[in-house]
Amino acid sequence: MAKANDTKTNGSTDAMGEPELGKRSRFVTGRVVTVLRATVLIIASGIARAALPGEELQPRTNINPGLLYWQAFAALPKLDEADSKKLDGFTEQLTAWSRGTSTVWNIKLPPGSDALVSRYRNSLHLLEKARLSTAPCDWGADLADGPYMLIPDTRGLRELAKVSLVQAGTQVETRRTDESVDTLLSLLTLARHFASDRTLVSVMLQLRTEDLVVDYLGAELGRYPAAAVARL
């Protein structure tokens, strides 16, 4: 009876006579050590990690811009027809002014432009991160796939180009000219990165996007101070 009670108290044993509880403890300990070693390696190699107490992490600048752009396209909001017309109307207004066919002297922002731009906050933030990245842009395109090659989101490029110009206009309207320049530079960087796969379609879209920026500057450049113009 005493032996039976001891077995019940200490737990079951395996074929080698080692208590199962002891085996589990050694297993858990080994897993914890493995995780700790991996954590040390991650910190030592500079990979993204959690902040230590009292520490403020700096934004990463080594992320592939192509990945950031795919994230920006995925974060685009769904617009209704009225808001889509606001974006289209603003870019058409810039083009008309640039070509000399506009009937007005001043460029007018669409009504509710601040609220409209705020819906793109995440996507626009990702554009800025991509501009500041030091890593080369790789969309993951493989020319060996031929006509089945996956190309970047052309709809996303067009939409982000339009909303970027609206944001630049709202920023210069409130005299945040440095922020407005940042917005324009982020858009130009996206245009250049978009054609990094060197396909004809992507190059044509790069040129079209740059044309929109030129149209905007043709209408609004006089509102920027000399230092902002020098940056551009």
Side-chain angles (χ1 to χ4, degrees), residues 13-223:
T13 60
D14 62 5
M16 301 296 295
E18 181 180 4
E20 291 291 339
L21 182 59
K23 291 179 61 179
R24 293 176 183 175
S25 297
R26 288 193 300 103
F27 174 76
V28 172
T29 301
R31 293 296 297 272
V32 170
V33 170
T34 301
V35 171
L36 288 175
R37 287 175 177 171
T39 303
V40 171
L41 290 174
I42 289 174
I43 295 175
S45 61
I47 301 176
R49 57 180 176 80
L52 299 175
E55 179 188 13
E56 181 178 354
L57 289 179
Q58 297 301 313
R60 288 180 59 189
T61 58
N62 62 345
I63 302 176
N64 173 19
L67 173 60
L68 296 172
Y69 292 137
W70 279 117
Q71 293 175 344
F73 296 154
L76 290 173
K78 293 184 178 180
L79 296 184
D80 55 26
E81 185 177 357
D83 285 336
S84 295
K85 287 183 176 179
K86 289 180 181 179
L87 293 180
D88 292 338
F90 186 69
T91 53
E92 290 169 1
Q93 185 184 178
L94 294 173
T95 301
W97 201 101
S98 178
R99 295 177 180 177
T101 60
S102 177
T103 58
V104 297
W105 283 102
N106 297 324
I107 299 299
K108 297 181 180 179
L109 290 168
S113 55
D114 286 331
L116 180 59
V117 168
S118 67
R119 298 182 60 185
Y120 289 86
R121 180 176 60 253
N122 291 333
S123 295
L124 292 170
H125 173 66
L126 288 165
L127 287 196
E128 183 178 11
K129 286 180 67 70
R131 173 175 62 86
L132 298 175
S133 176
T134 58
C137 182
D138 185 352
W139 292 93
D142 188 352
L143 293 175
D145 291 335
Y148 301 101
M149 183 182 75
L150 182 64
I151 64 173
D153 188 348
T154 57
R155 182 191 70 86
L157 172 67
R158 294 188 180 97
E159 191 168 338
L160 282 176
K162 295 174 184 178
V163 74
S164 292
L165 295 177
V166 173
Q167 176 173 253
T170 60
Q171 289 167 333
V172 77
E173 184 79 18
T174 54
R175 301 189 178 183
R176 293 176 290 156
T177 52
D178 286 337
E179 295 180 20
S180 183
V181 170
D182 288 340
T183 298
L184 294 174
L185 293 179
S186 294
L187 177 56
L188 285 171
T189 303
L190 168 61
R192 296 296 175 89
H193 279 158
F194 199 83
S196 61
D197 61 12
R198 302 181 182 181
T199 59
L200 179 60
V201 172
S202 61
V203 172
M204 291 175 64
L205 287 168
Q206 171 200 337
L207 296 175
R208 173 54 183 158
T209 304
E210 291 178 348
D211 282 345
L212 289 175
V213 177
V214 171
D215 289 344
Y216 172 87
L217 291 175
E220 299 284 74
L221 189 61
R223 304 180 67 180

